[in-house]
Amino acid sequence: MTVRPTADFDTAIDAAVSIGRITKKFGDVVAVDNISLDIVDGEFFALLGPSGCGKTTTLRMIAGLEFPTEGSLKIFGEEVGMLPPNKRPVNTVFQNYALFPHMSVIQNVGFGLKMNGVAKSEVADRAAEALEMVRLGGLANRRPSQLSGGQQQRVALARALVNRPKVLLLDEPLGALDLKLRQEMQEELKGLQRELGITFVFVTHDQEEALTMSDRIGIMHEGKLLQVGSPEQIYEKPSNRFVADFIGNTNLLEGTVQDAETVCLANGARISVASDHPAGTAVAVSLRPERAVIGKHESSGNGQTSVNGVIRSVTYLGNAVVYQVELDWMTLEAREENRTSVTRREPGQRVSISWNPQDVAVVAE
Amino acid sequence: MTQVLSHPEEVTPEFEKDAARAQSRRGFLMALPTFVYLGLFFVLPFLIVIVYSFATRNRFGGTDLSGWNFEAYRKLGDSVVRDILFRSIWLALITTIICLVLAYPFAYFIATRRPAVRNLMLVFVMIPFWSNFLVRNYAWRVLLGNDGPVSQLSEVLGLGETRVLFTPVAVVLGLVYGFLPFMILPLYAAIERIDLRLMEASRDLYASGWQSFRRVLLPLSMPGVIAGSILVFVPSLGAYVTPEILGGAKTTLLGSYIVTQFLTARNWPVGASLSFVLMAVMLAATLVYFRKGGRTL
Ligand SMILES: Nc1ncnc2c1ncn2[C@@H]1O[C@H](COP(=O)(O)OP(=O)(O)OP(=O)(O)O)[C@@H](O)[C@H]1O
Ligand SMILES: [Mg+2]
């Protein structure tokens, strides 16, 4: 996040949502801990993190359903931190959909427009149009209880989007759907977002969902925002140990920084890898299983970009084979695509694990 | 059970039919004492009341069961009876509305507390039931009496002498006090079942706090509103004890009038016909409740 001079109004407006040093406490529980974040207009932004890390609380503060204990919250440059939800140009797709059970589908969708004082005939037209958009035109007069989970999900989406919010907030909207439907809805959501150009803030604890759908991801942990970046940045260049471990699978080789080019591993081996941590910092070298290259055992072992070990187990996944390789001080996971050209290895075989220096990342706590 | 019964007859295997029949027979046997009780002490007296309402009062204050006629019902059109009827309905209505207005926020408050706090508050609501209804009404008489705390307070505040006792205000006060729990409990039960996240959703969809109440909470809690209103309106309409103790001679209500017809005026047919009309009204109200609200409550 860049700090802008206060007089510079124009540039501040390009952020759809601007969160400045926001903290939210519930009694003694710090649910959100001093978060700063700019969400760009038109982007698909995912908030990702384990259960209880504060994703929902952050989203609810943007919606106005929760008020920050400290900090500022702007939507398109306008301070909204203390405005009630009905005064904010945002709408929410709730995790449980929260459809009104006593209203028909079309009444649900038209509710926001009606409350906004839109003329009756226009409410009807726009609600019908929104239902068409989510391909539910034929179910306008049903009650929510007469719909399947996926259909309810679409109604919730139409009910929010029909208001043409500047920002759409989605709290694990696909959490209750089965895998197939979920993948379908992922594409549909992404398509809608591109088509409408509305900023989406999407909360999920499913990393695959976040990686495939988002322009940028914010990783949260224990109320803190640990890293913000594109899916590639998050995966390739995790800024700390938690992110490296949380996103995808990785091997963390413990060690300490020796100098800008070298990390000394727990077993004494010095490997060459660039890092900007000061010498003496306890770090881990993150090596993704698919970047670990299995080779012939080398009696010397160059020690700088490879280590020696013994294969403990082989797991056949169909499209890939996963090896657990035992080193003297830890076990590494290595993954090979299942091509006919690669030779399958057997448990007990002595091998070397090597990598390209640019394929590993140094992460601290 | 319902599954079995919902099958078309011809596809239900014979033994299932037998089982269903045996089960319903067992159910009937278990309910038999209640049937007998209700039959003896409710249905039979009710029939007797109906019979008497068509009978004739003789010159000596007795009742002749021979000459059937509608005379008693015709007498209900008298302005005296009509006034009493309207006054009773009016007071019952006011009582119901006041109870509703007082109980709704309170029920909402209870329903949104933590379970432990909730149970404690429900116990508080029910505490008045631990002492006798009659005793509590007499307590109000003391409170509202000429030298009671209420009039003393009003004198201290310089509001002059207030005469609440033996006025319709005292009756409504007593009725509200007596029947408020009957409004709170069904309202609480209805609100407690509502997913309050729906209120957040409506706020998110640009509804103000009032609109959220009006469009979401109120319609969803309607079963409780209807149940509570009937539970307060019906006994208020037929109230006897409270108007007798707190009301003055000028505020005769239906209950007192019926008693007078039986005991003092010795006009049983009129007392009976009025009782019957009252019960018919209550029955109708109860049916409305089961139609509209009871289904989902
Ligand atoms: N109303 C509340 N009162 C007290 N504590 C709360 C409240 N809401 C949230 N918390 C706490 O704040 C923390 C963050 O909660 P939050 O719901 O934001 O997590 P989350 O990231 O959405 O988790 P999940 O993935 O399980 O939905 C948790 O420790 C939670 O217990
Ligand atoms: Mg959550």
Side-chain angles (χ1 to χ4, degrees), chain A residues 267-307:
Chain A
N267 70 336
R270 286 181 175 69
I271 62 169
S272 28
V273 51
S275 75
D276 47 12
H277 298 283
T281 313
V283 293
V285 175
S286 164
L287 171 62
R288 300 277 181 201
E290 72 273 14
R291 301 283 167 83
V293 182
I294 304 179
K296 265 222 304 285
H297 182 80
E298 298 161 37
S299 53
S300 63
N302 73 8
Q304 291 179 346
T305 54
S306 74
V307 288

mmCIF file of all heavy atoms in Angstrom, chain A residues 267-307:
data_model
loop_
_atom_site.group_PDB
_atom_site.id
_atom_site.type_symbol
_atom_site.label_atom_id
_atom_site.label_comp_id
_atom_site.label_asym_id
_atom_site.label_seq_id
_atom_site.Cartn_x
_atom_site.Cartn_y
_atom_site.Cartn_z
ATOM 1 N N ASN A 267 21.484 -29.107 8.920
ATOM 2 C CA ASN A 267 22.515 -30.154 8.947
ATOM 3 C C ASN A 267 23.909 -29.612 8.677
ATOM 4 O O ASN A 267 24.858 -30.371 8.539
ATOM 5 C CB ASN A 267 22.185 -31.239 7.922
ATOM 6 C CG ASN A 267 22.362 -30.729 6.510
ATOM 7 O OD1 ASN A 267 22.289 -29.522 6.268
ATOM 8 N ND2 ASN A 267 22.605 -31.638 5.584
ATOM 9 N N GLY A 268 24.029 -28.301 8.540
ATOM 10 C CA GLY A 268 25.338 -27.711 8.293
ATOM 11 C C GLY A 268 25.607 -27.402 6.842
ATOM 12 O O GLY A 268 26.521 -26.652 6.526
ATOM 13 N N ALA A 269 24.802 -27.969 5.925
ATOM 14 C CA ALA A 269 25.020 -27.716 4.501
ATOM 15 C C ALA A 269 24.760 -26.257 4.180
ATOM 16 O O ALA A 269 23.847 -25.648 4.726
ATOM 17 C CB ALA A 269 24.097 -28.612 3.665
ATOM 18 N N ARG A 270 25.624 -25.709 3.329
ATOM 19 C CA ARG A 270 25.418 -24.323 2.902
ATOM 20 C C ARG A 270 24.822 -24.347 1.521
ATOM 21 O O ARG A 270 25.399 -24.927 0.610
ATOM 22 C CB ARG A 270 26.756 -23.583 2.874
ATOM 23 C CG ARG A 270 27.245 -23.260 4.253
ATOM 24 C CD ARG A 270 28.564 -22.505 4.237
ATOM 25 N NE ARG A 270 28.912 -22.116 5.580
ATOM 26 C CZ ARG A 270 29.276 -22.999 6.514
ATOM 27 N NH1 ARG A 270 29.354 -24.285 6.219
ATOM 28 N NH2 ARG A 270 29.554 -22.577 7.730
ATOM 29 N N ILE A 271 23.659 -23.733 1.356
ATOM 30 C CA ILE A 271 23.106 -23.694 0.013
ATOM 31 C C ILE A 271 23.052 -22.261 -0.467
ATOM 32 O O ILE A 271 22.867 -21.335 0.316
ATOM 33 C CB ILE A 271 21.716 -24.358 -0.068
ATOM 34 C CG1 ILE A 271 20.713 -23.614 0.809
ATOM 35 C CG2 ILE A 271 21.793 -25.820 0.337
ATOM 36 C CD1 ILE A 271 19.311 -24.087 0.543
ATOM 37 N N SER A 272 23.230 -22.114 -1.762
ATOM 38 C CA SER A 272 23.238 -20.741 -2.278
ATOM 39 C C SER A 272 21.828 -20.344 -2.681
ATOM 40 O O SER A 272 21.207 -20.958 -3.538
ATOM 41 C CB SER A 272 24.188 -20.612 -3.475
ATOM 42 O OG SER A 272 24.290 -21.828 -4.148
ATOM 43 N N VAL A 273 21.321 -19.360 -2.001
ATOM 44 C CA VAL A 273 20.013 -18.810 -2.317
ATOM 45 C C VAL A 273 20.000 -17.365 -1.822
ATOM 46 O O VAL A 273 20.477 -17.063 -0.733
ATOM 47 C CB VAL A 273 18.886 -19.640 -1.677
ATOM 48 C CG1 VAL A 273 19.109 -19.859 -0.207
ATOM 49 C CG2 VAL A 273 17.528 -18.998 -1.921
ATOM 50 N N ALA A 274 19.466 -16.488 -2.667
ATOM 51 C CA ALA A 274 19.475 -15.060 -2.319
ATOM 52 C C ALA A 274 18.361 -14.747 -1.330
ATOM 53 O O ALA A 274 17.272 -15.295 -1.417
ATOM 54 C CB ALA A 274 19.290 -14.221 -3.582
ATOM 55 N N SER A 275 18.662 -13.900 -0.360
ATOM 56 C CA SER A 275 17.626 -13.440 0.552
ATOM 57 C C SER A 275 18.002 -12.061 1.052
ATOM 58 O O SER A 275 19.163 -11.673 1.017
ATOM 59 C CB SER A 275 17.468 -14.395 1.728
ATOM 60 O OG SER A 275 18.530 -14.230 2.637
ATOM 61 N N ASP A 276 17.008 -11.309 1.512
ATOM 62 C CA ASP A 276 17.334 -9.975 2.011
ATOM 63 C C ASP A 276 17.189 -9.896 3.530
ATOM 64 O O ASP A 276 17.029 -8.839 4.096
ATOM 65 C CB ASP A 276 16.474 -8.907 1.312
ATOM 66 C CG ASP A 276 15.017 -9.304 1.272
ATOM 67 O OD1 ASP A 276 14.646 -10.267 1.978
ATOM 68 O OD2 ASP A 276 14.247 -8.663 0.536
ATOM 69 N N HIS A 277 17.203 -11.056 4.186
ATOM 70 C CA HIS A 277 17.151 -11.029 5.649
ATOM 71 C C HIS A 277 18.561 -10.821 6.182
ATOM 72 O O HIS A 277 19.522 -11.282 5.583
ATOM 73 C CB HIS A 277 16.593 -12.358 6.186
ATOM 74 C CG HIS A 277 15.184 -12.609 5.723
ATOM 75 N ND1 HIS A 277 14.104 -11.982 6.261
ATOM 76 C CD2 HIS A 277 14.712 -13.428 4.753
ATOM 77 C CE1 HIS A 277 13.010 -12.396 5.641
ATOM 78 N NE2 HIS A 277 13.347 -13.274 4.716
ATOM 79 N N PRO A 278 18.682 -10.153 7.334
ATOM 80 C CA PRO A 278 20.024 -9.955 7.904
ATOM 81 C C PRO A 278 20.638 -11.289 8.335
ATOM 82 O O PRO A 278 19.908 -12.246 8.627
ATOM 83 C CB PRO A 278 19.769 -9.045 9.111
ATOM 84 C CG PRO A 278 18.313 -9.141 9.402
ATOM 85 C CD PRO A 278 17.631 -9.500 8.132
ATOM 86 N N ALA A 279 21.980 -11.362 8.325
ATOM 87 C CA ALA A 279 22.687 -12.577 8.717
ATOM 88 C C ALA A 279 22.249 -12.997 10.109
ATOM 89 O O ALA A 279 22.017 -12.158 10.984
ATOM 90 C CB ALA A 279 24.190 -12.326 8.675
ATOM 91 N N GLY A 280 22.101 -14.304 10.301
ATOM 92 C CA GLY A 280 21.722 -14.812 11.608
ATOM 93 C C GLY A 280 20.234 -15.015 11.779
ATOM 94 O O GLY A 280 19.795 -15.644 12.739
ATOM 95 N N THR A 281 19.416 -14.504 10.839
ATOM 96 C CA THR A 281 17.971 -14.685 10.945
ATOM 97 C C THR A 281 17.611 -16.159 10.747
ATOM 98 O O THR A 281 18.129 -16.816 9.845
ATOM 99 C CB THR A 281 17.243 -13.868 9.859
ATOM 100 O OG1 THR A 281 17.787 -12.562 9.826
ATOM 101 C CG2 THR A 281 15.744 -13.813 10.132
ATOM 102 N N ALA A 282 16.757 -16.679 11.611
ATOM 103 C CA ALA A 282 16.258 -18.036 11.418
ATOM 104 C C ALA A 282 15.247 -18.004 10.282
ATOM 105 O O ALA A 282 14.293 -17.236 10.313
ATOM 106 C CB ALA A 282 15.594 -18.541 12.700
ATOM 107 N N VAL A 283 15.486 -18.810 9.269
ATOM 108 C CA VAL A 283 14.597 -18.816 8.098
ATOM 109 C C VAL A 283 14.318 -20.250 7.690
ATOM 110 O O VAL A 283 14.843 -21.205 8.276
ATOM 111 C CB VAL A 283 15.239 -18.081 6.902
ATOM 112 C CG1 VAL A 283 15.388 -16.603 7.177
ATOM 113 C CG2 VAL A 283 16.570 -18.724 6.543
ATOM 114 N N ALA A 284 13.472 -20.402 6.708
ATOM 115 C CA ALA A 284 13.288 -21.703 6.084
ATOM 116 C C ALA A 284 13.398 -21.499 4.587
ATOM 117 O O ALA A 284 13.043 -20.445 4.067
ATOM 118 C CB ALA A 284 11.934 -22.281 6.461
ATOM 119 N N VAL A 285 13.940 -22.486 3.924
ATOM 120 C CA VAL A 285 14.000 -22.443 2.471
ATOM 121 C C VAL A 285 12.823 -23.258 1.973
ATOM 122 O O VAL A 285 12.666 -24.429 2.312
ATOM 123 C CB VAL A 285 15.329 -23.025 1.960
ATOM 124 C CG1 VAL A 285 15.321 -23.089 0.434
ATOM 125 C CG2 VAL A 285 16.485 -22.181 2.465
ATOM 126 N N SER A 286 11.974 -22.605 1.200
ATOM 127 C CA SER A 286 10.764 -23.274 0.721
ATOM 128 C C SER A 286 11.030 -23.875 -0.651
ATOM 129 O O SER A 286 11.396 -23.179 -1.589
ATOM 130 C CB SER A 286 9.625 -22.256 0.651
ATOM 131 O OG SER A 286 8.586 -22.767 -0.134
ATOM 132 N N LEU A 287 10.846 -25.173 -0.738
ATOM 133 C CA LEU A 287 11.061 -25.895 -2.005
ATOM 134 C C LEU A 287 9.779 -26.639 -2.340
ATOM 135 O O LEU A 287 9.373 -27.555 -1.626
ATOM 136 C CB LEU A 287 12.237 -26.874 -1.844
ATOM 137 C CG LEU A 287 12.473 -27.866 -2.988
ATOM 138 C CD1 LEU A 287 12.809 -27.145 -4.290
ATOM 139 C CD2 LEU A 287 13.586 -28.854 -2.626
ATOM 140 N N ARG A 288 9.110 -26.228 -3.399
ATOM 141 C CA ARG A 288 7.860 -26.881 -3.808
ATOM 142 C C ARG A 288 8.158 -28.295 -4.305
ATOM 143 O O ARG A 288 9.160 -28.503 -5.008
ATOM 144 C CB ARG A 288 7.207 -26.089 -4.939
ATOM 145 C CG ARG A 288 6.854 -24.660 -4.578
ATOM 146 C CD ARG A 288 5.546 -24.577 -3.852
ATOM 147 N NE ARG A 288 5.177 -23.212 -3.522
ATOM 148 C CZ ARG A 288 4.305 -22.908 -2.568
ATOM 149 N NH1 ARG A 288 3.754 -23.884 -1.846
ATOM 150 N NH2 ARG A 288 3.983 -21.670 -2.323
ATOM 151 N N PRO A 289 7.327 -29.262 -3.993
ATOM 152 C CA PRO A 289 7.578 -30.652 -4.410
ATOM 153 C C PRO A 289 7.783 -30.791 -5.919
ATOM 154 O O PRO A 289 8.629 -31.557 -6.363
ATOM 155 C CB PRO A 289 6.314 -31.385 -3.964
ATOM 156 C CG PRO A 289 5.767 -30.579 -2.847
ATOM 157 C CD PRO A 289 6.139 -29.156 -3.147
ATOM 158 N N GLU A 290 7.034 -29.985 -6.707
ATOM 159 C CA GLU A 290 7.148 -30.137 -8.161
ATOM 160 C C GLU A 290 8.402 -29.468 -8.715
ATOM 161 O O GLU A 290 8.745 -29.649 -9.872
ATOM 162 C CB GLU A 290 5.891 -29.610 -8.858
ATOM 163 C CG GLU A 290 5.734 -28.103 -8.853
ATOM 164 C CD GLU A 290 5.043 -27.570 -7.607
ATOM 165 O OE1 GLU A 290 4.915 -28.317 -6.616
ATOM 166 O OE2 GLU A 290 4.649 -26.386 -7.628
ATOM 167 N N ARG A 291 9.101 -28.704 -7.870
ATOM 168 C CA ARG A 291 10.339 -28.071 -8.312
ATOM 169 C C ARG A 291 11.555 -28.883 -7.849
ATOM 170 O O ARG A 291 12.681 -28.534 -8.178
ATOM 171 C CB ARG A 291 10.452 -26.658 -7.744
ATOM 172 C CG ARG A 291 9.319 -25.735 -8.126
ATOM 173 C CD ARG A 291 9.484 -25.250 -9.546
ATOM 174 N NE ARG A 291 8.287 -24.613 -10.040
ATOM 175 C CZ ARG A 291 7.951 -23.342 -9.820
ATOM 176 N NH1 ARG A 291 8.742 -22.580 -9.116
ATOM 177 N NH2 ARG A 291 6.854 -22.843 -10.320
ATOM 178 N N ALA A 292 11.317 -29.885 -7.060
ATOM 179 C CA ALA A 292 12.421 -30.717 -6.573
ATOM 180 C C ALA A 292 12.726 -31.762 -7.647
ATOM 181 O O ALA A 292 11.854 -32.520 -8.043
ATOM 182 C CB ALA A 292 12.031 -31.393 -5.270
ATOM 183 N N VAL A 293 13.939 -31.733 -8.141
ATOM 184 C CA VAL A 293 14.315 -32.655 -9.214
ATOM 185 C C VAL A 293 15.029 -33.849 -8.599
ATOM 186 O O VAL A 293 15.993 -33.703 -7.844
ATOM 187 C CB VAL A 293 15.249 -31.952 -10.230
ATOM 188 C CG1 VAL A 293 15.593 -32.907 -11.371
ATOM 189 C CG2 VAL A 293 14.598 -30.677 -10.751
ATOM 190 N N ILE A 294 14.527 -35.048 -8.912
ATOM 191 C CA ILE A 294 15.143 -36.248 -8.366
ATOM 192 C C ILE A 294 16.216 -36.725 -9.344
ATOM 193 O O ILE A 294 15.962 -36.860 -10.536
ATOM 194 C CB ILE A 294 14.100 -37.355 -8.175
ATOM 195 C CG1 ILE A 294 12.970 -36.827 -7.271
ATOM 196 C CG2 ILE A 294 14.732 -38.603 -7.582
ATOM 197 C CD1 ILE A 294 11.885 -37.819 -7.042
ATOM 198 N N GLY A 295 17.434 -36.911 -8.827
ATOM 199 C CA GLY A 295 18.517 -37.351 -9.700
ATOM 200 C C GLY A 295 19.285 -38.507 -9.082
ATOM 201 O O GLY A 295 18.908 -39.007 -8.013
ATOM 202 N N LYS A 296 20.344 -38.898 -9.806
ATOM 203 C CA LYS A 296 21.195 -39.971 -9.289
ATOM 204 C C LYS A 296 21.904 -39.500 -8.034
ATOM 205 O O LYS A 296 22.265 -38.345 -7.890
ATOM 206 C CB LYS A 296 22.246 -40.341 -10.352
ATOM 207 C CG LYS A 296 21.832 -41.507 -11.214
ATOM 208 C CD LYS A 296 22.967 -42.502 -11.481
ATOM 209 C CE LYS A 296 24.208 -41.898 -12.104
ATOM 210 N NZ LYS A 296 24.028 -41.580 -13.544
ATOM 211 N N HIS A 297 22.113 -40.427 -7.101
ATOM 212 C CA HIS A 297 22.837 -40.125 -5.883
ATOM 213 C C HIS A 297 24.250 -39.690 -6.227
ATOM 214 O O HIS A 297 24.924 -40.325 -7.025
ATOM 215 C CB HIS A 297 22.871 -41.386 -5.011
ATOM 216 C CG HIS A 297 23.552 -41.159 -3.713
ATOM 217 N ND1 HIS A 297 22.940 -40.570 -2.658
ATOM 218 C CD2 HIS A 297 24.809 -41.457 -3.318
ATOM 219 C CE1 HIS A 297 23.772 -40.511 -1.640
ATOM 220 N NE2 HIS A 297 24.928 -41.039 -2.019
ATOM 221 N N GLU A 298 24.679 -38.572 -5.668
ATOM 222 C CA GLU A 298 26.043 -38.124 -5.929
ATOM 223 C C GLU A 298 26.837 -38.284 -4.651
ATOM 224 O O GLU A 298 26.435 -37.788 -3.613
ATOM 225 C CB GLU A 298 26.040 -36.639 -6.327
ATOM 226 C CG GLU A 298 25.251 -36.367 -7.607
ATOM 227 C CD GLU A 298 24.881 -34.896 -7.726
ATOM 228 O OE1 GLU A 298 25.700 -34.048 -7.341
ATOM 229 O OE2 GLU A 298 23.767 -34.618 -8.193
ATOM 230 N N SER A 299 27.972 -39.001 -4.763
ATOM 231 C CA SER A 299 28.714 -39.277 -3.535
ATOM 232 C C SER A 299 29.162 -37.981 -2.862
ATOM 233 O O SER A 299 29.118 -37.866 -1.648
ATOM 234 C CB SER A 299 29.941 -40.157 -3.833
ATOM 235 O OG SER A 299 30.696 -39.545 -4.856
ATOM 236 N N SER A 300 29.547 -37.009 -3.677
ATOM 237 C CA SER A 300 29.965 -35.748 -3.049
ATOM 238 C C SER A 300 28.748 -34.889 -2.711
ATOM 239 O O SER A 300 28.570 -34.466 -1.565
ATOM 240 C CB SER A 300 30.910 -34.975 -3.979
ATOM 241 O OG SER A 300 30.214 -34.632 -5.166
ATOM 242 N N GLY A 301 27.878 -34.713 -3.645
ATOM 243 C CA GLY A 301 26.734 -33.819 -3.461
ATOM 244 C C GLY A 301 27.230 -32.396 -3.418
ATOM 245 O O GLY A 301 28.013 -32.058 -2.547
ATOM 246 N N ASN A 302 26.833 -31.551 -4.364
ATOM 247 C CA ASN A 302 27.440 -30.225 -4.362
ATOM 248 C C ASN A 302 27.010 -29.396 -3.158
ATOM 249 O O ASN A 302 27.634 -28.422 -2.801
ATOM 250 C CB ASN A 302 27.199 -29.490 -5.687
ATOM 251 C CG ASN A 302 25.766 -29.016 -5.829
ATOM 252 O OD1 ASN A 302 24.976 -29.090 -4.885
ATOM 253 N ND2 ASN A 302 25.437 -28.541 -7.002
ATOM 254 N N GLY A 303 25.894 -29.823 -2.494
ATOM 255 C CA GLY A 303 25.512 -29.176 -1.246
ATOM 256 C C GLY A 303 24.900 -27.809 -1.431
ATOM 257 O O GLY A 303 24.280 -27.287 -0.524
ATOM 258 N N GLN A 304 25.092 -27.251 -2.651
ATOM 259 C CA GLN A 304 24.588 -25.890 -2.808
ATOM 260 C C GLN A 304 23.201 -25.862 -3.406
ATOM 261 O O GLN A 304 22.360 -25.067 -2.997
ATOM 262 C CB GLN A 304 25.542 -25.087 -3.682
ATOM 263 C CG GLN A 304 26.845 -24.847 -2.959
ATOM 264 C CD GLN A 304 27.821 -24.089 -3.799
ATOM 265 O OE1 GLN A 304 27.651 -23.956 -5.016
ATOM 266 N NE2 GLN A 304 28.859 -23.594 -3.157
ATOM 267 N N THR A 305 22.938 -26.716 -4.332
ATOM 268 C CA THR A 305 21.608 -26.773 -4.906
ATOM 269 C C THR A 305 21.095 -28.199 -4.922
ATOM 270 O O THR A 305 20.245 -28.553 -5.709
ATOM 271 C CB THR A 305 21.589 -26.222 -6.342
ATOM 272 O OG1 THR A 305 22.579 -26.933 -7.083
ATOM 273 C CG2 THR A 305 21.860 -24.744 -6.374
ATOM 274 N N SER A 306 21.601 -29.022 -4.039
ATOM 275 C CA SER A 306 21.067 -30.382 -3.960
ATOM 276 C C SER A 306 21.401 -31.002 -2.618
ATOM 277 O O SER A 306 22.293 -30.544 -1.903
ATOM 278 C CB SER A 306 21.623 -31.252 -5.097
ATOM 279 O OG SER A 306 22.971 -31.571 -4.817
ATOM 280 N N VAL A 307 20.627 -31.998 -2.268
ATOM 281 C CA VAL A 307 20.900 -32.759 -1.044
ATOM 282 C C VAL A 307 20.707 -34.237 -1.361
ATOM 283 O O VAL A 307 20.001 -34.582 -2.296
ATOM 284 C CB VAL A 307 19.948 -32.354 0.106
ATOM 285 C CG1 VAL A 307 20.287 -30.975 0.640
ATOM 286 C CG2 VAL A 307 18.497 -32.414 -0.354
#
